[in-house]
Amino acid sequence: MDHQTIEMFESHLEENLERRAAALKDGSYRPPAVRRVWIPKPGRREKRPLGIPTVRDRVVETALRHVVEPIFERDFAEHRYGFRPPRGTKDAWRRVDQWLKAGYGYGVDADLKSYFDTIPHERLMERIRRKVADGRVLHLLEQFLTQGVLDGLEEWTPEQGTPQGAVISPLLANIYLDPLDHLLAEQGLAMVRYADDFVILCRTPEEAQRALALVQQWTVEAGLTLHPTKTRVVDVQREGFDFLGYHFQRTKSGINHWPRKKSLAKFKDTLRAKTKRTNGRSLPCIIADVNRVLHGWFGYFKHSLKTTFAPLDGWVRMRLRSILRRRQGRQGRGRGADHQRWPNVYFAKQGLFSLAGAHELACQSPSG
């Protein structure tokens, strides 16, 4: 909003920090509007709204989070993993894997519709006031909840929600869902939650239906909405479910997981943009760019089913062969005789990262 970058803020860091501190102390601090941008959702036509705060607001929100988070962290439910130091997504899906291997064969795959944008402000503040009494802290939180939103040329003041992209939003979102976490724990239900993405694992269809009914009742009372088509009871063996980028399902070989369809679609879309046939860069430069994506993707999905990786390696090499084919003045994708012109070993010598090779090494490693 203020056209100030992080580098610009840091160039006068002490002065900027002193100015923010003075404004907070005398009560004159007023957060400007956040700039709304829309980013595509992988594999869907819908877009996700992000609120981009100014750099100074991010600094203040971070300081505020450091004050408020420890007050709530000590009482958060054990099965919550999102935005909870030092936990992460891998801890969440590993917990899911443990429950499934323990014999839980049914689940509630839940989806809160536009959760961050629909959190009721007053109900959220009521929950915060139960543990925070400092009036200045409460006032500052309210200011961030009600700061304006600039969407294109239109500016408006939100009556509900907290913007995705703001530093304080994940904590506020977790605070509001905390009673649901404890309710399900008290009912003896195996819930794993990461932010607004959660799954409840059960031993029988009847237990799953009871869990779903509890969640439906709680969300209505909390002023939230479950997505009508995405929230359902699932049979882990027959259909499985998606959670944090993975698809979990019981197969003949046991509990397995692999990248969900949307994760694969996003992965391929990213690589398509880097491997267009008209790409004018040298092959080593293209491969270096592709490798960065492959390394990052493998770091998260390396625990997938073994059969996941070789087809993706082949797809990447096909994209690269298509570029080389185009440079020889020929049309179409790289296949057929192109496998002899540029065999797999050719790309290995060029330094192309192999997902299947990395997976094999990871399986041999004690820490893999």
Side-chain angles (χ1 to χ4, degrees):
M1 277 291 293
D2 60 0
H3 304 287
Q4 188 175 44
T5 65
I6 294 174
E7 291 75 16
M8 293 165 64
F9 189 91
E10 287 181 333
S11 66
H12 301 87
L13 184 60
E14 292 302 322
E15 178 185 345
N16 282 324
L17 292 177
E18 289 175 5
R19 189 178 300 147
R20 298 289 84 74
L24 288 168
K25 287 178 181 178
D26 64 25
S28 63
Y29 183 82
R30 297 290 184 274
V34 298
R35 184 169 61 87
R36 172 160 285 190
V37 297
W38 296 84
I39 61 171
K41 294 184 177 182
R44 295 158 66 179
R45 294 183 179 179
E46 298 177 60
K47 291 188 175 183
R48 184 190 309 278
L50 289 185
I52 311 299
T54 61
V55 178
R56 68 172 189 171
D57 280 353
R58 290 179 228 175
V59 172
V60 174
E61 285 187 34
T62 301
L64 181 61
R65 190 194 72 205
H66 283 313
V67 171
V68 176
E69 187 172 57
I71 298 172
F72 289 90
E73 171 63 28
R74 61 188 179 187
D75 295 323
F76 277 148
E78 177 65 23
H79 55 257
R80 183 180 70 73
Y81 292 86
F83 307 104
R84 185 178 184 181
R87 301 181 176 200
T89 53
K90 293 183 180 180
D91 301 301
W93 61 252
R94 282 170 181 160
R95 186 60 173 155
V96 169
D97 193 55
Q98 290 172 0
W99 284 118
L100 294 176
K101 289 178 178 176
Y104 288 71
Y106 298 87
V108 177
D109 186 8
D111 186 280
L112 289 168
K113 189 175 182 180
S114 303
Y115 172 59
F116 277 80
D117 291 331
T118 58
I119 298 173
H121 287 174
E122 186 51 41
R123 295 185 189 183
L124 171 62
M125 290 305 302
E126 284 177 8
R127 291 175 186 174
I128 294 174
R129 291 188 194 103
R130 293 170 191 168
K131 294 187 176 182
V132 177
D134 191 301
R136 291 179 299 176
V137 171
L138 293 171
H139 179 64
L140 190 56
L141 285 168
E142 288 176 334
Q143 283 187 307
F144 283 124
L145 284 174
T146 57
Q147 69 186 121
V149 176
L150 182 67
D151 190 350
L153 298 177
E154 180 184 358
E155 185 174 348
W156 49 280
T157 301
E159 298 180 357
Q160 60 182 9
T162 181
Q164 294 187 65
V167 177
I168 198 70
S169 290
L171 174 61
L172 299 179
N174 278 328
I175 290 172
Y176 197 67
L177 283 182
D178 190 54
L180 175 62
D181 295 343
H182 286 284
L183 171 65
L184 295 175
E186 290 164 4
Q187 294 292 319
L189 294 167
M191 177 191 190
V192 181
R193 180 169 74 82
Y194 190 95
D196 58 336
D197 192 3
F198 63 92
V199 62
I200 307 167
L201 299 171
C202 307
R203 293 190 180 274
T204 65
E206 293 76 19
E207 186 180 41
Q209 290 292 348
R210 179 173 68 89
L212 176 58
L214 278 173
V215 173
Q216 288 172 330
Q217 179 181 351
W218 187 90
T219 51
V220 169
E221 293 172 355
L224 302 174
T225 304
L226 284 170
H227 201 292
T229 59
K230 296 179 182 177
T231 302
R232 60 201 176 100
V233 170
V234 296
D235 183 325
V236 177
Q237 182 168 341
R238 189 175 70 245
E239 56 198 319
F241 59 90
D242 295 340
F243 184 63
L244 297 179
Y246 274 92
H247 179 78
F248 292 81
Q249 192 163 350
R250 188 186 303 277
T251 65
K252 292 181 180 179
S253 61
I255 297 298
N256 284 299
H257 38 270
W258 53 86
R260 66 173 185 165
K261 291 180 180 179
K262 290 180 181 177
S263 299
L264 288 174
K266 182 179 180 181
F267 171 70
K268 288 188 173 183
D269 285 345
T270 301
L271 288 176
R272 281 191 185 99
K274 298 179 181 296
T275 56
K276 293 181 179 179
R277 297 177 200 176
T278 55
N279 195 314
R281 295 182 301 166
S282 68
L283 185 63
C285 287
I286 296 173
I287 287 178
D289 201 12
V290 167
N291 279 350
R292 282 189 284 270
V293 177
L294 296 176
H295 276 284
W297 191 87
F298 181 76
Y300 188 81
F301 288 105
K302 64 182 178 181
H303 298 284
S304 297
L305 200 62
K306 179 181 179 180
T307 54
T308 301
F309 304 103
L312 293 176
D313 279 337
W315 182 84
V316 172
R317 289 191 295 264
M318 180 275 294
R319 298 287 302 179
L320 296 175
R321 287 186 180 108
S322 298
I323 294 173
L324 297 174
R325 181 183 177 90
R326 173 67 178 262
R327 291 178 179 178
Q328 289 189 348
R330 293 181 292 131
Q331 301 296 318
R333 293 191 300 172
R335 50 191 174 184
D338 293 326
H339 287 263
Q340 282 72 50
R341 292 188 185 94
W342 303 289
N344 295 355
V345 68
Y346 170 80
F347 295 105
K349 289 179 179 179
Q350 295 289 325
L352 179 65
F353 180 78
S354 169
L355 296 170
H359 181 257
E360 186 175 350
L361 288 174
C363 290
Q364 294 173 358
S365 170
S367 61

